[in-house]
Amino acid sequence: MRIVANEARNSRKAAGRRERLGWRVQERAPTVAPDSPEEETLLAEQRGTLLAAIEQLRGEDRAVIAYRYFLDLSEAEMAEALKCRPGTVKSRLSRALGRLRGVLVADRDAGQATSPREATIDG
């Protein structure tokens, strides 16, 4: 029973960390200062879109992307954290990025499909 209780507690803590990580990424200042308020708004929208796409991925895909790009871990550090070989980290990251790319393309295509109809209805 103690093992089950500890695992439940660890899962709850991990869920809270993932949620806080998402908000930190969302609020993170861009590496390049925007030239205008319009550009700043566009960058914030892009960060929001990326975060929403990442949230659609499986947990292990989110973890490997977060370790690499949000926490800046090396492949060796990621391998240690994930308890696998560095080659496995590379393949997991590659597959996760492929899935992320697919989600972003699907979301973009869905947005483009609705835009002309909205223009027709409004115009």
Side-chain angles (χ1 to χ4, degrees):
M1 292 302 286
R2 181 175 292 273
I3 293 171
V4 172
N6 287 339
E7 285 298 318
R9 194 174 313 118
N10 290 342
S11 293
R12 193 170 356 126
K13 285 180 185 178
R17 284 191 301 265
R18 280 192 297 269
E19 184 177 331
R20 288 189 302 273
L21 175 64
W23 286 113
R24 280 185 297 195
V25 170
Q26 181 69 16
E27 295 171 355
R28 187 175 179 182
T31 55
V32 176
D35 293 331
S36 66
E38 294 85 9
E39 187 177 344
E40 185 175 346
T41 302
L42 181 60
L43 289 172
E45 184 178 309
Q46 290 172 343
R47 282 192 306 272
T49 300
L50 179 60
L51 183 61
I54 290 171
E55 288 176 355
Q56 293 179 36
L57 298 176
R58 300 179 319 182
E60 63 186 37
D61 290 341
R62 284 192 308 262
V64 74
I65 289 173
Y67 284 166
R68 179 66 188 107
Y69 296 104
F70 301 147
L71 301 176
D72 292 326
L73 296 183
S74 68
E75 287 178 9
E77 293 168 328
M78 290 171 59
E80 185 178 329
L82 296 170
K83 296 179 176 60
C84 62
R85 295 181 179 164
T88 304
V89 168
K90 282 184 175 183
S91 63
R92 285 184 186 178
L93 182 59
S94 176
R95 285 192 304 265
L97 290 174
R99 288 184 190 107
L100 177 60
R101 192 173 302 113
V103 169
L104 289 169
V105 167
D107 288 351
R108 184 197 66 206
D109 292 346
Q112 288 176 351
T114 58
S115 294
R117 280 186 250 157
E118 291 173 0
T120 306
I121 292 170
D122 292 338

